[in-house]
Amino acid sequence: MNKFYWHRGSLDESVNTEVSVNDFEELYQVIKKYLMGFGIPLNKHDIDIKFYGFDNRIKENRYIVTVAGYGVVGWANKDLKNTQTDKFKRGDF
């Protein structure tokens, strides 16, 4: 399962915002809908996902999700952007 957590003040607050997404496209739609509420336009290439480290508190890898011109929006348990790209590079579709 691919997880996305909104950036909040504490880990508990962030984990309570968990959203399950199937792929990068779904993550993009979730973030786009949120930012549209603030009048902020979003393109797919504006989203960046980078490995942040292993979090012992929740026993999983953490990837920081940022939006160009906005900053940190949340956390994921996978790099959904590159996972999808790698899938197509391998021809597993």
Side-chain angles (χ1 to χ4, degrees):
M1 173 174 58
N2 302 315
K3 302 175 196 173
F4 172 73
Y5 310 99
W6 292 103
H7 180 56
R8 297 291 184 262
S10 71
L11 176 64
D12 288 337
E13 289 174 302
S14 184
V15 170
N16 285 333
T17 68
E18 180 182 317
V19 177
S20 295
V21 293
N22 288 315
D23 53 25
F24 178 74
E25 179 63 32
E26 281 190 22
L27 177 63
Y28 165 68
Q29 292 299 329
V30 166
I31 296 171
K32 181 179 177 182
K33 182 178 178 182
Y34 174 78
L35 292 179
M36 284 181 68
F38 299 100
I40 300 171
L42 180 67
N43 294 305
K44 290 180 185 177
H45 67 270
D46 292 334
I47 299 173
D48 192 28
I49 303 172
K50 291 188 178 173
F51 182 70
Y52 193 76
F54 183 81
D55 192 328
N56 282 316
R57 300 168 296 175
I58 56 175
K59 305 294 185 216
E60 66 183 21
N61 287 326
R62 302 287 274 173
Y63 292 80
I64 192 165
V65 181
T66 58
V67 171
Y70 182 82
V72 177
V73 290
W75 307 91
N77 67 332
K78 289 183 182 176
D79 181 351
L80 295 169
K81 195 169 189 177
N82 288 324
T83 300
Q84 184 173 357
T85 302
D86 292 345
K87 177 180 171 182
F88 287 104
K89 284 180 184 174
R90 290 190 313 265
D92 300 340
F93 49 89

